[in-house]
Amino acid sequence: MRALEANARYLTEQLLATGRVTMLSKRGHLPVVTFAPKDTGRVTVFDVSEKLRERGWIVPAYIMAPN
């Protein structure tokens, strides 16, 4: 569990450092990282999921309901 928490924390920090995403998950709850791209006209969550899949990661992409 500690490793999962550390990985989620690291991934969150790295994503925030890009300045390109808005974090949807709250820190310190579950070791889950959810985010949305700030510029949806340029890249979609499906683009991110596809690129990660090319590197062996399976990261699902979903369209969330408003609010």
Side-chain angles (χ1 to χ4, degrees):
M1 191 62 182
R2 286 186 185 140
L4 292 172
E5 290 171 344
N7 286 338
R9 202 169 27 254
Y10 176 79
L11 183 54
T12 297
E13 291 167 3
Q14 295 300 305
L15 286 166
L16 285 172
T18 69
R20 296 180 179 184
V21 299
T22 300
M23 299 310 296
L24 303 175
S25 52
K26 294 185 182 352
R27 291 184 187 196
H29 287 70
L30 295 173
V32 173
V33 178
T34 57
F35 65 93
K38 286 183 179 178
D39 183 359
T40 57
R42 207 169 138 182
V43 65
T44 69
V45 293
F46 300 103
D47 296 330
V48 173
S49 178
E50 182 179 327
K51 284 294 181 189
L52 290 171
R53 193 174 291 264
E54 290 174 6
R55 296 175 182 258
W57 290 64
I58 298 174
V59 178
Y62 300 100
I63 295 175
M64 302 297 287
N67 299 322

